[in-house]
Amino acid sequence: YAFDPGTNLVYFGTGNPAPWNATMRPGDNKWTMTIFGRDVDTGEAKFGYQKTPHDEWDYAGVDVMMLSEQKDSTGKLRKLLTHPDRNGIIYTVDRENGDLVSAHKIDDTVNWVKHVDMKTGIPIRDPEYATYMDHKGRDICPAAMGYHNQGFDSYDPQKQIFLLGANHICMD
């Protein structure tokens, strides 16, 4: 969890859907694998951004939410939330409204997703690395443990860099 007294929002991620067998639960499984910004006083959800709709890999998006203030491409200072997810993507959203600012692979070996569509926020999957019945996906990166798990990370505002630990484990 993270809290911003300026927005009065608490930020957290939700876990993966169940059962893990994705064939048994069609659809996006809304609100799983989501970054939420909720009003601390009322509990009202101000925004929710779903990172891995219909999670097939047990990527459970509950890891650290790092808050920073950085200038965007126009030079405007923005309140941001950066979340390195187990799914191998590092997401940055505007922490006032949840707009997706960036979504980058931790490294080039992340293969379950080709890229994240920045207009829709939806990951464009590679079907070769899916886990549906009667298909054996091989060398799916990252593995269920994720390229980033539940370790703690930090942000250095002077150097404007994030420091995080990463795994490099793939699975069949």
Side-chain angles (χ1 to χ4, degrees):
Y1 296 99
F3 172 65
D4 176 5
T7 61
N8 200 44
L9 297 178
V10 62
Y11 308 96
F12 62 93
T14 59
N16 54 292
W20 195 1
N21 181 341
T23 305
M24 297 176 69
R25 51 172 173 78
D28 286 345
N29 310 128
K30 195 73 170 162
W31 309 123
T32 62
M33 299 298 299
T34 297
I35 297 172
F36 272 106
R38 287 190 179 269
D39 185 284
V40 173
D41 295 326
T42 67
E44 178 185 354
K46 296 295 184 178
F47 67 82
Y49 169 67
Q50 189 176 33
K51 303 162 289 166
T52 313
H54 192 73
D55 177 15
E56 304 173 46
W57 306 271
D58 189 31
Y59 288 148
V62 298
D63 302 336
V64 67
M65 305 287 165
M66 295 183 283
L67 307 183
S68 67
E69 292 189 17
Q70 299 180 50
K71 290 182 181 176
D72 65 15
S73 59
T74 68
K76 178 185 173 195
L77 193 63
R78 291 178 79 174
K79 290 184 167 214
L80 302 175
L81 177 152
T82 299
H83 170 76
D85 198 72
R86 277 175 50 182
N87 72 8
I89 306 291
I90 299 174
Y91 297 91
T92 299
V93 299
D94 183 304
R95 71 178 191 244
E96 294 179 313
N97 59 25
D99 289 349
L100 183 61
V101 174
S102 68
H104 299 285
K105 294 180 179 184
I106 287 177
D107 70 32
D108 291 337
T109 62
V110 173
N111 61 16
W112 71 272
V113 62
K114 295 176 182 182
H115 67 277
V116 175
D117 182 313
M118 291 303 295
K119 290 182 182 173
T120 65
I122 297 172
I124 307 304
R125 299 164 185 254
D126 187 329
E128 180 63 28
Y129 303 103
T131 63
Y132 52 88
M133 304 252 286
D134 301 324
H135 169 76
K136 184 167 184 175
R138 296 190 180 276
D139 296 318
I140 301 166
C141 301
M145 180 180 187
Y147 274 7
H148 182 273
N149 206 335
Q150 297 174 16
F152 293 99
D153 305 315
S154 63
Y155 174 69
D156 181 333
Q158 270 95 27
K159 295 181 181 177
Q160 294 187 344
I161 60 171
F162 292 92
L163 304 166
L164 62 113
N167 304 309
H168 191 273
I169 303 169
C170 300
M171 67 180 170
D172 289 346

